Amino acid sequence: MAEAAPAAGGGIGDILATSDRDFLVRNSGEQVKISSVEASPVAIYFSASWCPPCRRFTPKLIEVYEKLASQGKSFEVVFASADRNEEAFNEYFAKMPWLAVPFSDSEGREALDGQFKVSGIPHLVILDAKTGEVYTEDGVEFVSEYGVEAYPFTPDRINELKEQEKAEKENQTIQSVLGTSTRDYLISNKGDKVPISELEGKYVGLCFVVDGFPPLAEFTEVLAKIYEKLKEVGEKFEVVAVSLDSEESSFNESFAKMPWLAIPQGDIKCQTLVRYFELSSLPTLVLIGPDGKTLNNNVADIIDDHGFEAWEGFPFSAEKLEILAEKAKIKAASQTLESILISGHLDFVIGKDGAKVPVSELVGKTVLVYFSAKWCPPCRAFLPTLVKEYNKIKEKNSDFEIVFISSDEDQSSFDDFFSEMPWLAVPWEDERKASLKKTFKIRGIPSLVAIGPTGQTVSRDAKSQLMIHGADAFPFTEERLEELQKKLDEMAKGWPQKLKHELHDEHELVLLRRGTYRCDGCNEMGSSWSYRCDECDFDLHPKCALGEEKMGEEAPAGYVCEGGVCRKA
């Protein structure tokens, strides 16, 4: 078997050559002696055509490679393919301007994988060609974030760049945030170049965007209305899109709908800002003040909370936020079921066969607003549980109902899914669905929001409460949950502190007070109490560990059960 030599004590030849091969190849088929490779540093690029992250990163690496070549800087890349067949290798390698380990030398490629402990791709190892010293195994990160600026990719250079960033933050200006050494402009969606200097003295929002992410599309739609309103009232405010799209066509499609400016798609600054502002979620809107300093790393939550009315809180100072919070409090206090479910002439929901049920018939009941869809596997898995608990609640409480809000993509899917449900729904094509999702800030499905008899929201997470307590969670109020918790705590006094169980016979399980967890016995949610093994991260519901009959029953009239004793009251 051919083996690659270890990096220590040798140069690139010792690393890339094997006992059977002393050459690399170009995509033209030309063989290149490894000994003739004079460039330093050299990067070994572990990648494959079947890997989406690789396909996204390869164009960035090509851009850096070609820019360094145009600048006369010494740098070479060697492709070590993880493709499954030679046809895929040839098609992928045809786009690359560098060298490769021959696909036929599978043993040599595998030896490189083992030598550099490659556990995932894309992976880019950059080293000194003369000595074999590894500069970094984080080449993908450094090329993505710094581009040609990271050259020659040594630890000293990376540390220097990080120090520069630190200094930039301390002396931040709108130019340093948005510009580069070769670009001092932004672009409009018509292709116009707008000097960054025109943004000086303004509030600037940096909106990180990616095409095809529905929550972000909804956010930018609201932001566009706020943007136009602030322009209308004379506020000095501008928004700049920071694209995370890998393809220009995707960016152009989403940018065409935005009334503001953008950093050119593919500009290295986009990736730099991801790290600079420690982007962790979308949507994110960074707010820069007129002096070029960062005022807030993300005001997207404020806009999500208040919708279009958030414009009244601009520029989101503590004083302005207090005003917004007070308005939101007043709005929430005035909420009724009618204000949630009625819009103009749309004053009904539907039952089976499309029968219209006036919203007025639901007033005074506890109503669960159920956001779900047939295409969503967790929704399909949750539905039988919800149907079972719904029927249990309805047996004892006539003042209870569920209204289904569909995220299905067509009428047929809605009809199929709704046919499995014994409750009501908002029609599939109904415009109220979008406003309900915004009102309750629905970010994922399935989701259950509980509306009390007065029309006030009593729980935004009724799903978890239902999964934990079942039908006993009704009517989903804080008072009911506290009552259930007290009941559980009393019952727990009579349970054994430790036990062995056939589902986990390695260790004893210990009774512990827990937050929310998933039972390893029945795979359903639990909370408050668990029989747990910390060592194995294993949890059992008390009912799974003890059996229903040992969990405890209601004491008969005239008796009180405390701890392990039932006594007369």
Side-chain angles (χ1 to χ4, degrees):
M1 176 178 175
E3 293 184 357
I12 195 69
D14 293 324
I15 296 170
L16 294 174
T18 68
S19 57
D20 302 324
R21 177 184 50 78
D22 64 353
F23 63 89
L24 302 168
V25 295
R26 294 195 182 280
N27 56 22
S28 62
E30 174 192 356
Q31 293 185 358
V32 177
K33 289 277 189 181
I34 295 174
S35 59
S36 69
V37 177
E38 298 179 351
S40 189
V42 168
I44 305 175
Y45 181 38
F46 300 89
S47 184
S49 63
W50 53 260
C51 164
C54 296
R55 294 198 302 271
R56 289 194 293 269
F57 175 69
T58 297
K60 296 175 185 176
L61 184 58
I62 291 173
E63 181 183 1
V64 168
Y65 180 87
E66 292 178 342
K67 279 185 179 179
L68 289 174
S70 69
Q71 295 171 6
K73 292 179 179 176
S74 177
F75 181 57
E76 190 54 79
V77 176
V78 177
F79 173 39
S81 174
D83 276 305
R84 299 186 178 99
N85 57 66
E86 191 159 10
E87 183 181 356
F89 165 80
N90 289 336
E91 186 178 347
Y92 194 36
F93 185 39
K95 304 169 186 175
M96 301 177 184
W98 45 69
L99 304 170
V101 175
F103 185 80
S104 58
D105 187 5
S106 59
E107 292 182 351
R109 290 185 287 116
E110 286 174 10
L112 285 171
D113 280 355
Q115 179 177 332
F116 292 104
K117 299 180 176 62
V118 178
S119 59
I121 56 176
H123 188 71
L124 190 68
V125 178
I126 304 178
L127 40 80
D128 185 318
K130 294 184 177 62
T131 66
E133 176 193 355
V134 174
Y135 290 155
T136 181
E137 294 198 14
D138 296 322
V140 172
E141 177 186 346
F142 293 146
V143 168
S144 297
E145 295 182 354
Y146 296 106
V148 295
E149 296 295 320
Y151 183 84
F153 310 103
T154 61
D156 285 346
R157 178 55 182 160
I158 299 305
N159 288 334
E160 183 183 349
L161 288 171
K162 289 182 177 179
E163 286 299 317
Q164 286 178 7
E165 274 192 358
K166 184 179 177 182
E168 281 180 9
K169 283 189 176 182
E170 293 172 353
N171 302 287
Q172 180 178 299
T173 65
I174 198 64
Q175 183 67 49
S176 71
V177 170
L178 298 176
T180 67
S181 57
T182 58
R183 179 186 52 76
D184 62 357
Y185 62 87
L186 302 167
I187 58 170
S188 72
N189 58 16
K190 294 181 175 60
D192 299 324
K193 293 182 178 180
V194 178
I196 295 173
S197 58
E198 290 190 11
L199 274 64
E200 292 176 0
K202 295 182 178 180
Y203 290 95
V204 178
L206 305 186
C207 185
F208 290 84
V209 298
V210 61
D211 189 43
F213 182 48
L216 187 56
E218 293 170 8
F219 173 79
T220 53
E221 183 180 342
V222 176
L223 179 60
K225 293 176 182 176
I226 292 173
Y227 174 82
E228 298 291 359
K229 182 65 178 180
L230 291 174
K231 291 275 191 182
E232 179 187 319
V233 299
E235 290 285 0
K236 293 183 177 180
F237 178 56
E238 189 54 71
V239 174
V240 177
V242 182
S243 173
L244 306 181
D245 284 303
S246 56
E247 296 180 2
E248 188 171 4
S249 59
S250 298
F251 167 71
N252 290 339
E253 186 175 342
S254 57
F255 186 41
K257 304 169 188 173
M258 300 175 190
W260 43 70
L261 305 174
I263 295 173
Q265 195 276 335
D267 193 294
I268 192 66
K269 196 69 176 183
C270 294
Q271 284 299 324
T272 301
L273 291 175
V274 167
R275 183 187 62 258
Y276 188 85
F277 289 110
E278 299 176 359
L279 182 71
S280 60
S281 63
L282 291 175
T284 287
L285 182 69
V286 177
L287 186 63
I288 309 293
D291 59 355
K293 308 300 183 187
T294 302
L295 292 178
N296 195 312
N297 270 33
N298 193 9
V299 295
D301 287 344
I302 299 170
I303 292 172
D304 269 347
D305 286 344
H306 301 281
F308 172 69
E309 293 176 5
W311 79 267
E312 298 178 38
F314 182 83
F316 312 116
S317 61
E319 182 182 353
K320 290 274 192 174
L321 290 180
E322 281 184 20
I323 295 172
L324 280 181
E326 187 59 33
K327 286 190 173 184
K329 190 175 178 181
I330 294 170
K331 184 177 180 180
S334 64
Q335 176 180 295
T336 64
L337 193 65
E338 295 99 317
S339 70
I340 296 169
L341 288 179
I342 294 178
S343 176
H345 68 285
L346 299 172
D347 59 356
F348 62 89
V349 291
I350 58 171
K352 298 306 173 187
D353 301 320
K356 292 183 179 180
V357 178
V359 170
S360 59
E361 291 189 12
L362 301 177
V363 173
K365 296 184 177 183
T366 294
V367 176
L368 294 185
V369 187
Y370 174 43
F371 299 88
S372 187
K374 182 182 178 182
W375 55 258
C376 162
C379 296
R380 295 197 302 272
F382 174 61
L383 182 58
T385 298
L386 184 57
V387 171
K388 180 180 72 174
E389 303 303 336
Y390 169 84
N391 289 330
K392 286 182 182 179
I393 296 172
K394 288 287 280 187
E395 284 177 11
K396 298 179 180 179
N397 304 276
S398 60
D399 56 344
F400 171 66
E401 196 50 82
I402 294 179
V403 177
F404 170 42
I405 312 298
S406 173
S407 292
D408 281 304
E409 296 171 348
D410 54 61
Q411 183 73 50
S412 176
S413 297
F414 168 82
D415 291 340
D416 286 348
F417 204 35
F418 185 42
S419 69
E420 302 176 39
M421 304 174 188
W423 44 73
L424 306 173
V426 167
W428 175 74
E429 74 284 1
D430 201 295
E431 66 188 40
R432 288 173 291 176
K433 296 194 304 179
S435 64
L436 285 164
K437 289 174 186 176
K438 287 181 181 178
T439 296
F440 296 114
K441 302 176 182 66
I442 302 302
R443 289 285 175 261
I445 54 175
S447 185
L448 279 172
V449 176
I451 308 299
T454 65
Q456 298 287 295
T457 302
V458 295
S459 175
R460 292 181 181 269
D461 190 20
K463 175 178 175 285
S464 293
Q465 295 159 10
L466 198 74
M467 292 295 289
I468 293 165
H469 301 291
D472 287 341
F474 179 85
F476 307 98
T477 59
E478 288 185 13
E479 293 79 11
R480 178 56 178 162
L481 295 177
E482 288 174 5
E483 182 183 332
L484 290 171
Q485 186 62 60
K486 288 178 182 177
K487 182 179 177 181
L488 271 176
D489 290 346
E490 283 299 316
M491 291 169 65
K493 293 177 182 178
W495 298 338
Q497 293 299 302
K498 295 182 180 180
L499 56 78
K500 292 282 288 194
H501 196 278
E502 61 185 10
L503 293 178
H504 189 75
D505 54 12
E506 297 94 329
H507 307 101
E508 272 194 319
L509 300 177
V510 179
L511 181 63
L512 292 175
R513 188 72 178 266
R514 296 273 281 142
T516 302
Y517 64 89
R518 185 170 291 280
C519 175
D520 290 293
C522 64
N523 201 36
E524 293 185 357
M525 297 301 294
S527 73
S528 304
W529 292 100
S530 162
Y531 279 96
R532 176 168 175 78
C533 173
D534 276 334
E535 186 175 343
C536 302
D537 190 23
F538 182 91
D539 285 282
L540 279 184
H541 284 145
K543 68 181 178 182
C544 292
L546 301 172
E548 295 281 0
E549 69 280 1
K550 295 181 182 178
M551 280 279 292
E553 300 176 353
E554 291 287 342
Y559 283 80
V560 175
C561 295
E562 292 180 336
V565 178
C566 291
R567 56 181 174 79
K568 287 186 177 181

